[in-house]
């Protein structure tokens, strides 16, 4: 049995084809909104609807297999839970999302803790700007 399936069972949830399809889609996309996940799932199972995606994401997040971040103004972006907390670099020109390790924020996090007694949750941090490719090509606007 797959580790994700054991985790679902251990938390009292059934292993359903829809949950497996959603988890597979999240892993393929790396970062995806519920609508993008739906499109990926429908490549394999056309009868799945958006409410099924939301229900599956809720369960998968509850058991710690996926998490979300609010990268833009729209729907949250889901990604698989990995061993390292990461920060998102969101290109406002092409829409790409790159992940970098959270240790780049270490000095800021340490300073905020020391100066303000504030604990930062860097797993929800997203920086917006333009990626290297868009800068080099001169692209400034979204598609």
């Amino acid at each position: 049995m797959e580790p994700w399936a054991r985790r679902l069972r251990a938390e009292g949830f059934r292993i359903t084809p829809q949950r497996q399809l959603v988890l597979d889609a999240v892993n393929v996309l790396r970062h995806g909104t519920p609508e993008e996940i739906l499109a990926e799932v429908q490549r394999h199972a056309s009868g799945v609807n958006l409410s099924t995606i939301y229900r599956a994401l809720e369960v998968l997040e509850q058991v710690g297999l996926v998490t979300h971040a609010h990268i833009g103004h729209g729907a949250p972006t889901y990604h698989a839970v990995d061993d390292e907390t990461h920060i998102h670099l969101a290109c406002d020109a092409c829409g790409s999302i790159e992940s970098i390790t959270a240790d780049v924020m270490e000095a800021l996090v340490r300073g905020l803790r020391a100066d303000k007694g504030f604990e930062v949750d860097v797993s929800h941090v997203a920086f917006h700007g333009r990626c290297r490719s868009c800068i080099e090509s001169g692209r400034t606007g979204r598609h």
Side-chain angles (χ1 to χ4, degrees), residues 78-93:
Y78 288 84
H79 55 89
V81 172
D82 50 19
D83 294 334
E84 280 191 299
T85 301
H86 61 271
I87 293 169
H88 302 98
L89 302 178
C91 180
D92 294 327

Side-chain angles (χ1 to χ4, degrees), residues 35-83:
E35 291 79 11
E36 292 167 335
I37 294 167
L38 173 64
E40 178 65 25
V41 166
Q42 286 182 335
R43 291 183 34 193
H44 307 283
S46 61
V48 175
N49 60 36
L50 190 56
S51 63
T52 301
I53 300 298
Y54 274 105
R55 285 192 305 272
L57 287 169
E58 183 179 332
V59 168
L60 295 171
E61 190 164 27
Q62 187 176 338
V63 300
L65 293 170
V66 301
T67 189
H68 75 276
H70 295 277
I71 295 175
H73 295 292
T77 301
Y78 288 84
H79 55 89
V81 172
D82 50 19
D83 294 334

